[in-house]
Amino acid sequence: MVAGPYSSGNADAAQRAANLRVLNETALLVFRRGHIPLIGVNAALPLIEIAGEASFSDIMMPVSLALAERCDACLRVGGPSRGADEEVERFRNRGLPVFTSLDEIPAA
């Protein structure tokens, strides 16, 4: 899993798009190391789009945290993010690796 800020600090639409791009660019690098990267935001956003923006808080973290429970490791990127920190905590509680640099991730 790639975990990082998306809407932290009341990010506006441009900042959320920039944050998502960072997450996706990082996921591509993880993929090129031989892993299948997942991003909670990417799983949640299509549901939020259908359900409506008012459902953001009802969908975003439950989907992201459920996804975290099914992944083998986490790469934490970016700045402050309560949601990303919650995802990281799921991995640590299960004794799974949490990486803070792409260089720490072994090639598959």
Side-chain angles (χ1 to χ4, degrees):
M1 174 174 252
V2 178
Y6 172 66
S7 59
S8 295
N10 296 317
D12 62 17
Q15 185 60 54
R16 287 191 307 268
N19 289 343
L20 186 56
R21 182 163 183 86
V22 168
L23 291 167
N24 285 324
E25 288 171 345
T26 302
L28 177 58
L29 297 173
V30 171
F31 177 77
R32 288 185 172 153
R33 293 187 75 87
H35 303 279
I36 303 298
L38 299 174
I39 300 169
V41 173
N42 285 341
L45 285 178
L47 300 174
I48 293 166
E49 181 180 343
I50 297 300
E53 191 64 30
S55 67
F56 184 92
S57 62
D58 295 332
I59 294 175
M60 180 59 74
M61 285 314 298
V63 168
S64 291
L65 294 174
L67 192 60
E69 292 292 332
R70 289 157 179 84
C71 293
D72 301 322
C74 181
L75 173 60
R76 175 64 163 89
V77 298
S81 170
R82 188 183 71 208
D85 291 342
E86 286 182 50
E87 292 167 346
V88 164
E89 191 62 27
R90 296 285 172 116
F91 287 89
R92 289 192 171 132
N93 287 342
R94 293 170 43 219
L96 295 173
V98 174
F99 303 108
T100 57
S101 165
L102 188 65
D103 294 333
E104 297 173 348
I105 299 174

